Amino acid sequence: MTTTMNGMRPFRAAARITMVAALAALMAAGAMAQDGVSKTAVTLGQSLAMTGPGATLAMPFAQGARLYFDRVNAGGGVNGRKIELTTLDDAGNPETAAANTRKLLDQKVFSLFGYYGSPQVTAVNPLLKDTDILLFAPMAGADELRGSLYPNVYSVRPGYSEEAAVITKHAETLGMRKLAILHGKDAESLAALDSAERTMGGLGANLVAKAALSGGSVDQVLAKKPESVLVISDAPGAAGVIRDLRAKGFRGPIYGFSSTGESLLAEQLGAAGAGVVVVRVTPKSDNAKSILVRELQADAVNAKLGKSNVYMLEGYIAAWAYTEALRKAGKDPTRAKLRKALDTMQELNLGGFRVHFDGDRVGSKLVELSLIDATGRVRE
């Protein structure tokens, strides 16, 4: 009997060691568990204008992103995990966007995705900059968001200064150096105005007039006899001003930033948009030769969302780029691995659209011009 007990002691000791090791392993696994990542899903957080004036731009962006995430999830997700996007409405209000972000962070989302509006991103940045949480692909063009004060913001689209540079060079080729700017009073338009003034002046344009959109603003700028006019507003606001400019005899080139939305503006203006030039930071949303556009169009038809536009395409691109970064982060993604995946992303081909983050926090430099013709169609 004594021999049996003595024989059991090594067994009990070994069992105790095994149990301790197992507990330690479980504790280590718990300590390393990443917020927002489960065995079946990766959860992202989003705040944008689902209601209010900004919804015209923000909702198509959100729809495009969901279309691509739905496509990925239907195929089994990324490394067996579906991408879940929690979206909260901020109605275009920066303070609400910040409050929504606090809620999302309390819910332990993996990262933030696809916010709308430069003021909103500015409002949430203090909640992010000293953390490991990334905000990927905001639909926001303010140049400062791409600077050192926003280390956790990764943008796909270029900033307004690149858009302003392309417009200035185009006007110069036409011999049009005397420029006027008509702009909205909202914070996004003011951010674009700031970039336009700094960039265009630096490239030699002569800003002869600027005015906030109002009843007499068109007469005010036309009195200065500009050769070209830049209209900074959303599609409905820009359409009204452009009609007024043409009705009062202005025949020079009229330009719009990407925030105006070339296809949406063309729908608003029809034939009255003839000769209006609008910046794009995506391929044309009806370019049937583009694999990217064809896939978006097919998904939009299946989801019964109707005709796609540039904002929907931008959201689709953002979701595709994020998915590839998540895939690159590996089977056990962490926020650090996601950042590394983005920081080393080189020449990613998304159906013909290229994204390149390597050494930068801006994934695309694509800035092109579209022309609205006499039939109200958008042409390159």
Side-chain angles (χ1 to χ4, degrees):
M1 191 70 170
T2 305
T3 303
T4 303
M5 291 295 293
N6 288 340
M8 289 290 288
R9 286 174 184 160
F11 174 79
R12 288 174 176 168
R16 192 176 295 113
I17 292 171
T18 301
M19 289 177 64
V20 171
L23 286 169
L26 285 171
M27 291 174 66
M32 292 187 295
Q34 177 64 71
D35 287 345
V37 179
S38 70
K39 290 183 178 180
T40 59
V42 176
T43 303
L44 316 183
Q46 180 182 46
S47 177
L48 47 68
M50 301 170 71
T51 58
T56 306
L57 286 66
M59 283 305 294
F61 178 93
Q63 290 170 336
R66 285 190 180 276
L67 283 176
Y68 190 81
F69 286 146
D70 287 347
R71 170 187 279 251
V72 172
N73 291 341
V78 177
N79 294 317
R81 294 183 179 93
K82 292 188 176 182
I83 300 174
E84 297 181 351
L85 180 61
T86 300
T87 302
L88 302 178
D89 181 15
D90 59 37
N93 183 287
E95 290 75 21
T96 307
N100 285 349
T101 301
R102 292 187 186 94
K103 293 177 185 177
L104 293 167
L105 298 182
D106 287 343
Q107 294 173 18
K108 307 295 184 183
V109 296
F110 179 60
S111 69
L112 302 175
F113 171 88
Y115 277 41
Y116 167 73
S118 300
Q120 287 84 319
V121 176
T122 300
V124 306
N125 186 55
L127 303 174
L128 308 180
K129 66 178 183 178
D130 295 323
T131 74
D132 60 353
I133 300 169
L134 302 186
L135 168 54
F136 185 77
M139 189 180 175
D143 294 326
E144 66 179 87
L145 308 183
R146 291 144 182 82
S148 60
L149 296 179
Y150 293 76
N152 290 2
V153 177
Y154 283 71
S155 299
V156 175
R157 58 159 43 228
Y160 287 133
S161 60
E162 285 90 348
E163 298 188 30
V166 169
I167 289 174
T168 303
K169 291 172 184 176
H170 183 267
E172 184 178 359
T173 64
L174 301 177
M176 308 289 186
R177 286 187 170 274
K178 294 171 64 178
L179 170 74
I181 300 177
L182 287 160
H183 62 87
K185 300 174 185 178
D186 61 285
E188 188 69 31
S189 294
L190 294 177
L193 173 65
D194 176 66
S195 294
E197 289 186 281
R198 287 186 289 103
T199 303
M200 292 173 155
L203 291 175
N206 178 15
L207 181 59
V208 296
K210 69 174 180 178
L213 300 184
S214 66
S217 57
V218 169
D219 291 330
Q220 181 181 339
V221 299
L222 290 182
K224 300 296 183 180
K225 302 191 180 303
E227 297 169 331
S228 63
V229 176
L230 169 62
V231 179
I232 303 175
S233 179
D234 60 11
V241 172
I242 291 167
R243 288 194 188 94
D244 200 10
L245 283 165
R246 293 306 193 207
K248 291 177 177 176
F250 183 74
R251 295 293 176 261
I254 300 174
Y255 296 96
F257 274 162
S258 64
S259 54
T260 302
E262 38 115 79
S263 54
L264 295 182
L265 182 62
E267 290 174 7
Q268 292 273 339
L269 288 171
V276 175
V277 179
V278 186
V279 173
R280 282 186 291 106
V281 294
T282 69
K284 278 186 64 191
S285 60
D286 61 352
N287 181 6
K289 295 180 180 179
S290 165
I291 296 172
L292 166 67
V293 171
R294 290 202 304 270
E295 292 190 0
L296 167 63
Q297 289 175 336
D299 288 345
V301 169
N302 290 337
K304 299 180 180 179
L305 289 179
K307 185 179 179 182
S308 60
N309 58 41
V310 287
Y311 301 125
M312 192 180 290
L313 180 57
E314 186 171 348
Y316 198 83
I317 289 168
W320 192 343
Y322 185 93
T323 299
E324 294 309 313
L326 186 61
R327 200 184 310 279
K328 190 178 177 184
K331 294 182 178 180
D332 298 303
T334 65
R335 290 167 179 162
K337 289 179 181 178
L338 178 66
R339 183 188 289 273
K340 183 176 180 181
L342 288 169
D343 287 341
T344 58
M345 184 176 283
Q346 300 182 27
E347 297 299 333
L348 176 66
N349 187 348
L350 306 181
F353 181 86
R354 298 195 176 274
V355 175
H356 182 92
F357 278 106
D358 188 33
D360 198 356
R361 287 183 292 101
V362 181
S364 171
K365 299 296 185 184
L366 178 70
V367 181
E368 296 182 343
L369 297 176
S370 291
L371 174 71
I372 301 176
D373 67 15
T375 66
R377 296 184 60 189
V378 177
R379 301 189 180 278
E380 293 187 82

